Structures are given as C-alpha cells and as structure tokens.
Amino acid sequence: MRLKLTIAYDGAPFSGWQSQAGGNTVQDLIEGALLRISGTKITLHGSGRTDAGVHALGQIAHFDAPADSRMPADAWLRALNATLPPAIRILRSVRTRTNFHARFAARGKIYRYEMDTRPVLAPFRAGRAWHFPHALDLDALRDSLQLFVGTHDFRAFAANRSTPVTDPVRTIDSIRLTTTSSGLALTFHGNGFLYKMVRMLTGAGVRVAQGRDSADRIRTLLAAPTSGHWTYVAPADGLYLVRVLY
C-alpha cells in the first residue's frame, strides 16, 4: 500500500528536508518515526527539497507501507504525529495509486515569502519572516517581480551546487505582491524552482525596490543567463512551501 502524506513543519529547528549525515532533517525524522512504528526501514520520497530554515504548509511525500501491515491510512497519521516532534505535523494521510510519485508527478508548486516591515519584530515572528523595516518602492518591487513571469532560463538566479542543473528553464505563472497586517507577502506560482531560486528572485525585487540595483540587470540576466550571476539572497526565514500541484 502506497500512502501520500501532506506535511507541515516549522523549518527553523531543522537542517532542511533532505536526508543528510547529521540526521537533523525533516525526512530523517519522519523516516525514524516510520521505523519506530513499523519496525522496518521505510524510505520517504518528498516532492522536493526545502533548505534549512524554510517552512512548509503543504509538503507532499509518499512511502510504501510494509507488505504485512494492516494499518489504515488514518492510523499512520495518528501514529506519526504521536511520534514526531511538535514542529512536524502530518496533516493528511491517504492511500494513493501504486505508481504515484511525490516528486515526479508534481506539476508545480506555490511558495509564499513573508516580509515583516514593522519597526520591531514581534518575538513569535522571529525565524518566520524576513524582518525588513526599511523603505521600499512597492511599485518598483511589483514591476521587477513581473519580469520573472513566463518561461526563462533561470540559471543566473540559482545557487551553485556541486552538480550543475541540466535543465535551468522554468515557467513562472504568476508572482503576486500583497500587503498584510505585518508587512508584505510575495506568492510565487510556477512549474518548478531551482535551488534558492525563490529567495534570489525575492532578493532581486527588493534590491530594485530599494534603488540599489536596476530592473535592467534583471532583464540582462534573463536574456543572457551565462553573462553573470545574482548573488543577493533573501534569508530562509520568510519562505513557505504552501502547496504542491498535481
């Protein structure tokens, strides 16, 4: 039986989603909980990585229950939530088709980036929003973000990894800027995002809105992605994976 999980987590205490040697990742902790529940090593497959400090409201993952397990989907949900730390919650557990894959079946993702622009950051917002109590030209921010909408080669707006991205082309369907009671929210809807791409796009828009960089530089890097690389990255604190689209 293959189970599809919808997962929420506060990313602040963890070293990201992807399993690693240190073990303090969301994937490692859920796989550890699955082992304690079933007595069997179970591999969890996520829709994609989130970095250290990045949060999720609707991460998707799947796993195959042991062949001899008689636990229904809702029992797995209860058992996992009883075993996991409070900063990780399984919101939904459903049986899915045997060929479903959380990563390869995904058609897109929605991310939200939150900025708190108030003079003083409330304690409960620490680690959950980018504290940015500085003047911004919101029209310039909105206009610069719209430059990213469409299909582009985004290699200039992705952090370097040891393994280069073989296909840096992504399509962004929309970027919406809204005001909130505490500041700003930027919502990104696209078919996929490269490593740290949302944080770089946010950083680029903010730099233009501060008058510290130009929209023309964004245009140049999109038109000629090998001509340079964007280096200003918004912090992980404000980034949320809202939803994975199938």
Side-chain angles (χ1 to χ4, degrees):
M1 179 174 66
R2 181 160 292 188
L3 294 172
K4 174 185 175 185
L5 304 179
T6 303
I7 308 163
Y9 47 86
D10 175 359
F14 309 117
S15 302
W17 166 269
Q18 188 78 15
S19 180
Q20 54 185 260
N24 186 37
T25 72
V26 178
Q27 181 183 5
D28 287 322
L29 289 164
I30 297 177
E31 286 186 346
L34 289 169
L35 176 60
R36 289 192 290 277
I37 293 164
S38 68
T40 303
K41 179 175 174 53
I42 295 174
T43 300
L44 186 70
H45 302 271
S47 70
R49 302 180 181 183
T50 55
D51 302 328
V54 175
H55 317 291
L57 304 177
Q59 171 70 287
I60 301 295
H62 79 267
F63 71 92
D64 292 323
D68 60 351
S69 174
R70 297 183 178 275
M71 289 176 61
D74 59 341
W76 283 99
L77 181 148
R78 292 192 298 271
L80 283 167
N81 283 335
T83 308
L84 289 165
I88 304 173
R89 293 292 87 177
I90 310 302
L91 302 180
R92 192 171 180 227
S93 172
V94 297
R95 186 170 183 170
T96 188
R97 62 185 188 276
T98 56
N99 65 347
F100 171 81
H101 196 287
R103 178 184 173 191
F104 299 125
R107 295 179 178 272
K109 293 180 180 177
I110 298 174
Y111 280 92
R112 185 173 73 241
Y113 196 94
E114 296 190 6
M115 299 176 63
D116 195 311
T117 59
R118 295 174 294 185
V120 178
L121 183 68
F124 57 83
R125 293 284 282 168
R128 293 174 178 82
W130 181 12
H131 187 215
F132 198 89
H134 311 294
L136 286 172
D137 182 334
L138 295 188
D139 289 333
L141 176 57
R142 186 177 288 105
D143 291 345
S144 60
L145 290 173
Q146 292 312 300
L147 297 174
F148 297 116
V149 175
T151 301
H152 304 284
D153 181 329
F154 283 102
R155 76 183 71 186
F157 294 92
N160 291 326
R161 276 178 168 158
S162 55
T163 303
V165 178
T166 56
D167 180 12
V169 176
R170 297 292 186 273
T171 298
I172 295 183
D173 299 303
S174 65
I175 303 176
R176 190 174 74 253
L177 171 64
T178 55
T179 57
T180 68
S181 60
S182 59
L184 303 171
L186 286 62
T187 303
F188 298 79
H189 179 178
N191 70 348
F193 297 89
L194 303 173
Y195 182 46
K196 294 188 179 180
M197 178 174 153
V198 175
R199 291 166 58 191
M200 285 194 173
L201 301 189
T202 299
V206 167
R207 293 287 285 186
V208 173
Q210 284 186 292
R212 296 189 175 186
D213 226 309
S214 70
D216 284 341
R217 182 162 178 245
I218 293 176
R219 292 187 184 94
T220 297
L221 291 175
L222 290 174
T226 60
S227 65
H229 192 265
W230 193 269
T231 57
Y232 186 73
V233 185
D237 299 11
L239 186 56
Y240 295 76
L241 172 58
V242 176
R243 185 180 174 191
V244 183
L245 307 172
Y246 292 96

